[in-house]
Amino acid sequence: MIRVENLHKYFGDNHVLEGIHAHIKPGEVISVIGPSGSGKSTFLRCINLLEKPDEGEIYIKGVPLIENMKRIDALRQQVGMVFQQFNLFPHMSVMGNITMAPKMIKKISDADAKDLAMELLQKVNLSEKADAFPNRLSGGQKQRVAIARALAMHPEIMLFDEPTSALDPEMVGEVLEVIRNLATEGMTMVIVTHEMGFCKEVSDRVFYMDHAIIYEEGTPQQIFEHPQKKRTKIFLSKVL
Amino acid sequence: MVWYYDLLQTLSNGVFGTFVKEDRFILLLKGLGVSLELTFFAAIIGLGIGLLVAISRINRIPVVSSIADLYVTIIRGTPVIVQLIIIYFIIIKAIFPAIVTAMIAFGINSGAYVSEIIRAGILAVDRGQMEAARSLGLSYRQAMIKVIVPQAIKNILPALGNEFIVLLKETSVAGYIAIDDLTRAAMKIRNITYDPTTPLFFIAYLYLMMTICLSKMLTSYERRLREGD
Ligand SMILES: Nc1ncnc2c1ncn2[C@@H]1O[C@H](COP(=O)(O)OP(=O)(O)OP(=O)(O)O)[C@@H](O)[C@H]1O
Ligand SMILES: [Mg+2]
């Protein structure tokens, strides 16, 4: 589903990704953990080219992204992204946020877009908020709308960058619940997270990133119960 | 308190000579008309230029955007009177009548400030908005039109209003190229009556009323915007 080969990224002199290799199968749920500044967000953002890699290639369903930079708008539709800061469009209602892209890009009718939006809102438990504007929603509600908005393009892959880090603790659960359901439905997902409990429970594999590479990877059990490498052990001893 | 009574005395004596005698109020009315006309068309020209300049600078269009940078630097770094006189005497006096030249000159001047206002308004929209739109598959253009510009307008419109208030006041130097705007009308009357106080206070009052009106409209508009949030 996603294949990442020898991915390098620099910000000026700062070598942020020093050769990432990864192979993610359809339906797999990957959690990315690691210390702050290790390149987790950058890695995720490279997957839908919000950051342009300096070297290497990313294949989505076998199609090389960088080689097909000109078609990037079309390729991006297959990959949904959810941000730490929600990034809802404040000048549109919840309904508007969800229907805008499908109407604009897939040219589906207004009625169909609304049906789709209601279906997705039901899925994230927010049917009653269709006409609300983002500033009237709590953080947890905003993030669930953001997930619905991304799902409206029917992506085959979902990327989450610390989806619960900006939330008050009592709202973390409702958002994780939605992500958990997506996992059950077989969505391919890459989740950057600091929620170790959730990570252990939901992921098929865990990437531990440190010093600009995937330093260690394995099943949650391997990583959390039997980490092999020194820095992984130190990190886990701090966060668990 | 003596100066106060003196001033009142001068004003009441001056009113007849300044406004009534030989229908001089018509001179002032015409001047007012010219000032408003000049401001209005300069504003439109400025808006057009500002928009184009802002777009080319934001998109960093090669060559064009460096010219745009230079334009903004020069206009913002030199006095408007100097610009007006240069454009009038050296560049386009031969082609257009003075009033059109003035509209173009003030438009060119205003355009630099308008472009900065538009640029700042667009850059003030959170970066995450563009990223969210792009991640949904929108092109840069689509994201600009649907997501960025509608939010930027809220930042831009109040600042544009201020720019037009400034413009209205700045057109008062149009007399330098012999345009009979409101200020020059007052100076002409003074030259006839030898009473500078009455006409100058009067036009100061007019300018003040106009700018206060515009500010009030702006404030109520901004309040409505904030309630919309
Ligand atoms: N737009 C940018 N410009 C310059 N440097 C950047 C930019 N984005 C990230 N960096 C740098 O790249 C490095 C990796 O950042 P990244 O955001 O990927 O880390 P992270 O693992 O997501 O950290 P965190 O857990 O704090 O979110 C950091 O040193 C950061 O300062
Ligand atoms: Mg991050």
Side-chain angles (χ1 to χ4, degrees):
Chain A
M1 197 67 152
I2 310 174
R3 203 164 84 239
V4 179
E5 276 177 7
N6 194 31
L7 185 66
H8 286 262
K9 176 71 191 175
Y10 296 83
F11 287 116
D13 289 337
N14 192 358
H15 201 167
V16 179
L17 298 178
E18 297 183 15
I20 303 274
H21 296 268
H23 196 156
I24 298 167
K25 293 191 278 295
E28 232 183 347
V29 177
I30 305 288
S31 289
V32 182
I33 61 172
S36 181
S38 57
K40 305 182 296 295
S41 296
T42 308
F43 169 51
L44 203 67
R45 293 159 57 82
C46 279
I47 296 179
N48 67 357
L49 296 197
L50 284 180
E51 302 290 352
K52 192 172 180 305
D54 293 301
E55 207 187 310
E57 185 54 281
I58 297 158
Y59 300 84
I60 304 282
K61 298 206 295 180
V63 180
L65 289 189
I66 297 166
E67 204 174 284
N68 289 289
M69 201 68 181
K70 289 208 178 71
R71 292 199 295 132
I72 186 61
D73 296 334
L75 293 169
R76 271 207 190 105
Q77 294 169 30
Q78 312 175 66
V79 184
M81 177 133 186
V82 173
F83 302 85
Q84 183 176 344
Q85 297 300 336
F86 328 125
N87 296 342
L88 290 183
F89 306 131
H91 58 302
M92 298 177 191
S93 66
V94 164
M95 182 57 84
N97 265 276
I98 300 174
T99 56
M100 189 264 285
K103 281 201 289 195
M104 189 156 208
I105 300 168
K106 296 193 167 164
K107 311 278 179 215
I108 72 173
S109 74
D110 199 50
D112 286 351
K114 283 197 167 132
D115 288 348
L116 170 66
M118 286 317 296
E119 192 184 303
L120 290 168
L121 282 173
Q122 224 150 46
K123 196 169 179 162
V124 298
N125 264 323
L126 281 174
S127 310
E128 75 284 2
K129 295 290 183 192
D131 296 320
F133 275 76
N135 61 350
R136 295 272 174 268
L137 302 178
S138 72
Q141 292 171 332
K142 282 183 192 164
Q143 195 59 298
R144 286 183 281 149
V145 172
I147 295 172
R149 176 177 69 178
L151 292 174
M153 289 303 286
H154 295 302
E156 296 180 53
I157 298 163
M158 285 283 284
L159 309 175
F160 295 84
D161 192 356
E162 301 194 31
T164 59
S165 292
L167 299 179
D168 293 336
E170 71 269 21
M171 293 170 184
V172 169
E174 62 195 52
V175 171
L176 293 184
E177 175 68 28
V178 170
I179 302 175
R180 194 178 289 122
N181 290 341
L182 284 175
T184 322
E185 290 170 19
M187 176 69 79
T188 309
M189 299 197 278
V190 185
I191 308 167
V192 176
T193 184
H194 291 298
E195 299 283 335
M196 293 306 156
F198 178 73
C199 165
K200 237 189 260 186
E201 166 206 334
V202 81
S203 21
D204 298 307
R205 270 190 302 153
V206 179
F207 293 174
Y208 172 72
M209 283 188 71
D210 202 336
H211 285 63
I213 55 165
I214 297 176
Y215 180 75
E216 185 169 351
E217 66 163 281
T219 62
Q221 210 178 19
Q222 286 168 335
I223 296 290
F224 288 105
E225 317 293 336
H226 314 287
Q228 300 298 309
K229 293 176 142 179
K230 188 171 129 235
R231 287 209 292 263
T232 319
K233 287 178 190 162
I234 296 170
F235 175 79
L236 288 172
S237 71
K238 279 191 212 144
V239 298
L240 288 181
Chain B
M1 290 308 277
V2 173
W3 65 271
Y4 180 79
Y5 291 112
D6 270 358
L7 182 62
L8 269 186
Q9 187 74 23
T10 319
L11 280 175
S12 61
N13 282 349
V15 165
F16 180 76
T18 300
F19 300 114
V20 185
K21 206 174 164 200
E22 291 161 10
D23 283 350
R24 281 178 200 136
F25 67 95
I26 291 185
L27 212 57
L28 285 168
L29 273 183
K30 278 189 178 155
L32 177 63
V34 168
S35 286
L36 290 176
E37 189 186 17
L38 186 54
T39 306
F40 180 74
F41 286 103
I44 288 179
I45 295 171
L47 202 58
I49 295 178
L51 207 59
L52 292 177
V53 169
I55 289 171
S56 62
R57 292 182 83 195
I58 286 171
N59 294 324
R60 304 225 170 78
I61 300 170
V63 188
V64 181
S65 84
S66 358
I67 295 173
D69 283 350
L70 190 66
Y71 157 74
V72 172
T73 308
I74 291 174
I75 295 296
R76 297 210 307 172
T78 55
V80 65
I81 299 189
V82 176
Q83 294 162 17
L84 179 68
I85 295 175
I86 288 179
I87 290 175
Y88 180 66
F89 284 106
I90 304 175
I91 307 179
I92 43 181
K93 177 188 177 187
I95 313 171
F96 298 114
I99 180 78
V100 178
T101 310
M103 286 171 186
I104 295 173
F106 283 111
I108 289 176
N109 175 268
S110 183
Y113 295 93
V114 170
S115 80
E116 281 298 278
I117 289 168
I118 294 176
R119 200 169 78 111
I122 286 177
L123 293 181
V125 176
D126 185 69
R127 230 181 63 153
Q129 292 289 308
M130 176 57 91
E131 294 187 346
R134 297 305 301 275
S135 78
L136 289 167
L138 270 69
S139 68
Y140 177 79
R141 263 180 72 99
Q142 289 172 322
M144 268 302 196
I145 292 168
K146 275 298 230 195
V147 176
I148 307 298
V149 170
Q151 295 182 59
I153 282 178
K154 286 194 180 182
N155 312 329
I156 291 171
L157 284 183
L160 269 189
N162 273 326
E163 167 58 21
F164 294 148
I165 290 173
V166 171
L167 190 58
L168 174 64
K169 290 184 293 174
E170 285 197 332
T171 58
S172 63
V173 301
Y176 274 82
I177 61 167
I179 284 169
D180 290 317
D181 74 321
L182 185 57
T183 304
R184 191 151 189 262
M187 300 303 275
K188 274 189 165 170
I189 290 173
R190 181 206 59 176
N191 289 346
I192 302 167
T193 62
Y194 299 108
D195 163 26
T197 320
T198 320
L200 288 175
F201 268 80
F202 179 68
I203 62 161
Y205 173 78
L206 275 188
Y207 278 116
L208 189 61
M209 283 305 116
M210 290 190 286
T211 53
I212 287 176
C213 269
L214 286 171
S215 301
K216 281 253 160 65
M217 281 159 57
L218 211 68
T219 321
S220 79
Y221 171 76
E222 280 179 76
R223 194 174 311 121
R224 279 224 312 276
L225 270 190
R226 248 178 287 122
E227 279 164 7
D229 277 346

